[in-house]
Amino acid sequence: MLLKEVSGLYPELKDSPIVQSPIWNKNVSELHPVQLIAIRKKSLNENPSYDIDLDLNFLVKILQLAELDDILTSPLSRYIQPSTSSMTTHEFVQGLRNMAPEYRMAVIFGLEMRLSAIRVSNLTVGQICLLENKTKLAQEVISNILVSNKTMYAFWTVRGDEHDGLDDLGEIVYEAFGCSWMELSARYRNMIADHYNPLIILR
């Protein structure tokens, strides 16, 4: 599927540099995040007042939703907005303490595996075990997961008598860290290590 053929993109991006770029007529399965970074850099240089990040984040969200519906698969869905900001491990742990344990585990796992909030909240127990290239910290999270016979989701919370998936993960992250999931992902990549170990939040 060509990028321009993905449902829902053109109405919002018709005036965007993305539509004018070569990737617009390329197959989504052959595109990579570095190409979005190049578009971002070019746009910021040529038209600094234009909010290219708004376009890129919208594009990535649409692709992530399409992947969940098994409509397509694209490496572009793993794009993370570049950031010059960072945080210390202490600040990260403090943010995690602002959320319930089940959300903490989902956040750590998602950031370690470079997954979107949507992808993390929809992971089933079976799917999480099949993921490849799991980091040491991601493995630690998996070993702490509580499997429920009331839900298929790996990460879940209790709502009344139900065990529901974390469909509000993005909102919880914003409340805890004051930024979007994509911005938190960027800060996580630039995290400055201090004497705090994120693992302490799981124990």
Side-chain angles (χ1 to χ4, degrees), residues 1-6 9 23-28 72:
M1 178 184 293
L2 301 182
L3 183 60
K4 67 180 181 182
E5 296 173 338
V6 177
L9 284 183
I23 74 169
W24 189 245
N25 293 297
K26 300 283 187 178
N27 193 301
V28 294
L72 56 82

Side-chain angles (χ1 to χ4, degrees), residues 168-185:
D168 57 349
L169 181 58
E171 288 83 357
I172 295 296
V173 162
Y174 189 84
E175 291 175 3
F177 290 92
C179 64
S180 69
W181 178 274
M182 293 188 73
E183 176 62 20
L184 181 61
S185 296

Side-chain angles (χ1 to χ4, degrees), residues 7-177:
S7 178
L9 284 183
Y10 185 72
E12 291 291 330
L13 301 180
K14 59 184 177 64
D15 298 320
S16 172
I18 296 173
V19 174
Q20 307 303 321
S21 71
I23 74 169
W24 189 245
N25 293 297
K26 300 283 187 178
N27 193 301
V28 294
S29 64
E30 299 171 356
L31 298 174
H32 297 276
V34 66
Q35 291 167 285
L36 296 187
I37 293 175
I39 291 173
R40 182 179 188 271
K41 183 177 181 180
K42 185 173 186 289
S43 178
L44 291 175
N45 286 336
E46 296 180 353
N47 189 3
S49 64
Y50 185 84
D51 192 352
I52 186 63
D53 287 327
L54 187 66
D55 291 351
L56 293 172
N57 291 339
F58 174 77
L59 168 67
V60 171
K61 182 177 181 179
I62 291 295
L63 292 176
Q64 290 171 348
L65 291 171
E67 283 194 343
L68 283 177
D69 291 335
D70 294 324
I71 296 173
L72 56 82
T73 300
S74 175
L76 289 185
S77 65
R78 298 194 296 272
Y79 168 81
I80 295 176
Q81 180 178 321
S83 174
T84 56
S85 63
S86 62
M87 62 181 170
T88 65
T89 50
H90 174 235
E91 291 170 331
F92 180 56
V93 169
Q94 288 300 107
L96 292 175
R97 284 180 171 147
N98 291 329
M99 56 181 68
E102 60 268 25
Y103 286 89
R104 297 172 188 170
M105 293 202 300
V107 167
I108 293 174
F109 188 84
L111 295 178
E112 276 291 299
M113 298 299 292
R114 302 195 179 203
L115 303 175
S116 68
I118 296 173
R119 177 69 171 139
V120 175
S121 61
N122 281 276
L123 278 175
T124 66
V125 174
Q127 289 171 338
I128 203 171
C129 294
L130 293 175
L131 287 176
E132 298 179 349
N133 302 317
K134 289 188 280 288
T135 66
K136 182 178 179 180
L137 189 50
Q139 292 278 18
E140 183 79 14
V141 171
I142 291 176
S143 69
N144 282 273
I145 285 178
L146 295 177
V147 178
S148 169
N149 58 10
K150 291 186 176 182
T151 183
M152 63 180 180
Y153 296 115
F155 301 107
W156 50 272
T157 190
V158 178
R159 293 185 181 126
D161 296 328
E162 302 296 325
H163 289 181
D164 294 334
L166 309 183
D167 53 3
D168 57 349
L169 181 58
E171 288 83 357
I172 295 296
V173 162
Y174 189 84
E175 291 175 3
F177 290 92

